[in-house]
Amino acid sequence: MKNEITIIVTDQEGNKHPLICPTDMGLTLKDICKAYDLPMEAMCGGMAMCATCHCYIPDENEVLSEKNEVEEALLSELFNTEKTSRLACQIYLTNQMDGISVQIVAD
């Protein structure tokens, strides 16, 4: 089984970054964005308390787990959410995510 995927992250300036991500370390999307020094604030460090790791994931329904109540509550407090809004700290990297696109939301 393959333990590495590639995802494409678009930053706030529209630059695309292909990221090679291990899937056997229990990392979240937030963790990998921070590891690559992408401009994702994530003030609470991934504790699902601040929503500063807000991102859009267009193909989310096909490969991601559903939003939990905490994630739904935090997203409901934001003004720039879309149907595809997610918190990167709540998305654990899996092999099924290979090739997905993620857009980091501008403040």
Side-chain angles (χ1 to χ4, degrees), residues 10-23:
T10 304
D11 64 26
Q12 295 93 329
E13 295 178 2
N15 300 312
K16 294 187 183 299
H17 306 269
L19 309 183
I20 306 299
C21 313
T23 57

Side-chain angles (χ1 to χ4, degrees), residues 28 30-31 34 41-53 89-90:
T28 64
K30 184 266 318 167
D31 296 330
K34 296 300 271 184
E41 194 168 349
M43 283 179 40
C44 72
M47 302 298 293
M49 297 174 68
C50 68
T52 58
C53 63
C89 70
Q90 298 299 295

Side-chain angles (χ1 to χ4, degrees), residues 69-103:
E69 290 179 18
V70 172
E71 184 176 9
E72 288 278 8
L74 283 168
L75 288 171
S76 73
E77 299 292 321
L78 301 176
F79 295 107
N80 55 349
T81 57
E82 294 183 1
K83 181 181 170 217
T84 62
S85 288
R86 294 298 303 260
L87 298 181
C89 70
Q90 298 299 295
I91 301 170
Y92 286 87
L93 299 172
T94 65
N95 290 337
Q96 292 76 23
M97 293 173 64
D98 194 24
I100 69 164
S101 296
V102 175
Q103 179 182 355

